[in-house]
């Protein structure tokens, strides 16, 4: 059955024309789907019943099937979706006191990057998501918020997978988030472990989207152990690409730093990072590590993190601590999926 969200404006208009509907029906249906974000054809009251019945009979409003949900005391909602081929992906909705409503969405089922501290990286890679599967994760949250009189304000591609390993679909999804859901480019963040050619390519896209780079170590020898991708693109190449991105886009770049006790939270590490980033228009986002069963590291404490930030300030490198959300549930990337995997759920790609 046809997924209605796979149709762009011209394709949806063509479908309605093929069904013999007058041209103005396209505008009506589009407004219900994307402006009002209604998830039920029967609620589209200015469409004739015959059209609503045909839409119900021949199309579906999305392909993601909810496998499991968790809700945190802080208002965070974590959702596990089963895809049409049985693969599992995760999405998270995070509400903030300043009225931001941020969706964290996945770009792949699994991940090929193999970062040792990441639950998704420990699973291996299954497949890329389509642009519609990426977009639909945000759309689901947008619909539910609309029902409550609220709206989705931000989207971060920091869920399962490496977005730049699925570059074309991610760019298509970002453009749909902007065009169809009205999410401003500066309210969208895409995160990468450091795929250097794609960072340079992204700089040419002309998008004012925020770029976040998962760094976590400031020297090659140490980063190689945490993030195997560093053996292909060394830190010098990565930082050079980041300078290029900043120059081309005019945007400040964010570096993600998962603070691991005794591993990368020391004054020595802070000095290395400050020296590496000094002079680059950037911001360091420090996140206490989300522990996983496959990695023995533990989150750094706030005393160590505050001292770390103080040292970075001496290099004129701004840094803040990202508040961890959903700590009482499996809100970290890949954590919920790792609890419910059944035999056959993960088909590892060759």
């Amino acid at each position: 059955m046809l997924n209605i969200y796979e149709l762009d404006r011209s394709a949806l208009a063509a479908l309605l024309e093929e069904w013999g509907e007058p041209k103005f029906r396209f505008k009506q249906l589009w407004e219900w789907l994307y402006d009002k974000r209604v998830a039920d054809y029967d609620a589209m009251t200015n469409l004739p019943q015959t059209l609503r019945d045909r839409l119900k009979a021949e199309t579906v409003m999305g392909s993601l099937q909810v496998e499991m949900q968790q809700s945190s005391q802080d208002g965070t909602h974590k959702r596990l979706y089963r895809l049409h081929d049985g693969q599992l992906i995760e999405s998270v909705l995070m509400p903030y006191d300043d009225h931001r409503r941020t969706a964290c969405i996945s770009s792949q089922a699994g991940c090929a990057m193999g970062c040792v501290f990441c639950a998704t990286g420990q699973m291996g890679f299954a497949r890329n998501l389509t642009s519609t599967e990426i977009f639909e994760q945000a759309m689901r949250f947008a619909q539910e918020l609309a029902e409550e009189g609220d709206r989705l304000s931000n989207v971060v591609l920091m869920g399962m997978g490496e977005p730049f390993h699925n570059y074309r679909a991610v760019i298509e999804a970002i453009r749909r988030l902007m065009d169809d859901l009205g999410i401003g480019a500066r309210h969208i963040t895409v995160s990468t472990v450091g795929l250097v050619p794609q960072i340079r390519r992204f700089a040419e896209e002309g998008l004012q989207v925020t770029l976040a780079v998962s760094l976590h170590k400031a020297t090659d020898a140490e980063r190689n152990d945490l993030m195997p991708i560093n053996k292909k693109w060394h830190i010098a190449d990565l930082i050079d690409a980041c300078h290029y991105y900043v120059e081309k886009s005019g945007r400040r770049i964010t570096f993600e730093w998962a603070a691991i006790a005794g591993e990368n939270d020391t004054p020595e590490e802070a000095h290395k990072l400050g020296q590496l980033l000094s002079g680059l228009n950037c911001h360091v986002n420090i996140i206490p590590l989300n522990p996983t069963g496959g990695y023995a590291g533990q989150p750094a404490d706030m005393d160590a993190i505050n001292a770390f930030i103080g040292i970075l300030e001496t290099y004129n490198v701004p840094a803040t601590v990202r508040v961890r959300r959903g700590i009482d549930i499996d809100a970290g990337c890949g954590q919920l999926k790792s609890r419910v995997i059944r035999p056959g759920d993960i088909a590892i790609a060759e």
Side-chain angles (χ1 to χ4, degrees):
M1 195 174 290
L2 178 65
N3 182 351
I4 198 77
Y5 297 129
E6 291 180 352
L7 304 180
D8 61 15
R9 292 173 187 267
S10 60
L12 183 59
L15 177 67
L16 293 175
E17 182 179 1
E18 179 184 322
W19 287 359
E21 296 292 334
K23 288 187 176 181
F24 66 84
R25 291 285 182 232
F26 161 74
K27 182 179 180 182
Q28 290 177 321
L29 179 54
W30 189 270
E31 287 177 347
W32 283 113
L33 290 172
Y34 296 106
D35 296 340
K36 299 177 182 178
R37 300 167 189 180
V38 168
D40 180 1
Y41 287 128
D42 284 329
M44 301 178 181
T45 51
N46 63 348
L47 300 183
Q49 188 64 53
T50 53
L51 176 56
R52 283 181 270 166
D53 289 343
R54 188 165 189 181
L55 285 166
K56 286 187 289 184
E58 299 187 28
T59 73
V60 291
M61 297 181 74
S63 63
L64 306 182
Q65 301 298 317
V66 176
E67 181 81 3
M68 182 180 289
Q69 300 184 85
Q70 291 182 341
S71 296
S72 169
Q73 294 178 357
D74 64 19
T76 298
H77 299 286
K78 179 72 174 277
R79 187 167 295 165
L80 185 70
Y81 288 114
R82 188 172 293 275
L83 306 180
H84 68 88
D85 57 357
Q87 297 295 341
L88 297 169
I89 61 169
E90 298 175 349
S91 304
V92 184
L93 179 65
M94 298 170 287
Y96 293 91
D97 292 339
D98 61 2
H99 304 297
R100 281 177 298 147
R101 302 292 181 262
T102 299
C104 179
I105 62 177
S106 297
S107 57
Q108 296 178 310
C111 184
M113 299 298 104
C115 300
V116 299
F117 54 85
C118 174
T120 304
Q122 294 160 15
M123 295 175 185
F125 174 70
R127 71 167 174 88
N128 285 327
L129 302 188
T130 67
S131 61
T132 302
E133 288 170 332
I134 298 169
F135 170 80
E136 191 183 327
Q137 296 169 68
M139 184 63 171
R140 288 289 189 92
F141 288 133
Q143 289 170 334
E144 292 160 17
L145 287 167
E147 290 175 0
E148 301 169 1
D150 208 342
R151 66 180 297 274
L152 184 66
S153 60
N154 297 71
V155 176
V156 296
L157 285 102
M158 294 182 175
M160 299 175 67
E162 162 55 50
F164 282 173
H165 192 210
N166 188 16
Y167 187 88
R168 183 174 179 179
V170 163
I171 296 300
E172 289 176 359
I174 287 173
R175 295 192 185 280
R176 289 199 64 188
L177 291 170
M178 295 164 55
D179 296 341
D180 297 347
L181 282 187
I183 307 293
R186 294 183 179 227
H187 295 273
I188 299 172
T189 299
V190 59
S191 176
T192 177
V193 297
L195 276 62
V196 167
Q198 285 84 348
I199 291 174
R200 291 181 172 276
R201 182 179 176 186
F202 191 63
E204 305 290 341
E205 294 286 351
L207 296 170
Q208 289 293 294
V209 171
T210 298
L211 177 63
V213 175
S214 294
L215 190 58
H216 312 303
K217 281 287 190 176
T219 66
D220 286 326
E222 295 172 314
R223 194 168 187 258
N224 287 347
D225 293 335
L226 283 182
M227 307 178 72
I229 194 66
N230 197 76
K231 298 173 185 177
K232 184 170 185 178
W233 289 297
H234 295 167
I235 287 177
D237 301 319
L238 174 58
I239 297 302
D240 187 58
C242 290
H243 276 281
Y244 180 77
Y245 172 81
V246 170
E247 291 167 6
K248 289 290 291 185
S249 68
R251 298 279 286 148
R252 183 176 74 169
I253 199 165
T254 295
F255 289 98
E256 305 287 333
W257 193 268
I260 307 168
E263 180 73 28
N264 65 353
D265 65 339
T266 64
E268 180 184 7
E269 290 293 323
H271 283 292
K272 291 177 184 177
L273 181 60
Q275 292 164 10
L276 179 69
L277 301 183
S278 181
L280 177 60
N281 184 15
C282 68
H283 172 265
V284 178
N285 200 357
I286 299 176
I287 316 104
L289 178 74
N290 264 320
T292 66
Y295 180 65
Q298 294 298 312
D301 63 42
M302 285 308 302
D303 287 341
I305 290 174
N306 287 331
F308 194 95
I309 291 173
I311 292 171
L312 290 181
E313 289 175 350
T314 67
Y315 293 92
N316 294 317
V317 175
T320 53
V321 182
R322 189 170 81 193
V323 176
R324 292 197 294 173
R325 309 288 298 186
I327 297 304
D328 55 326
I329 60 174
D330 300 299
C333 178
Q335 291 180 332
L336 181 55
K337 179 177 176 178
S338 67
R339 288 169 59 92
V340 300
I341 288 175
R342 301 196 302 258
D345 279 339
I346 302 294
I348 302 300
E350 296 296 334

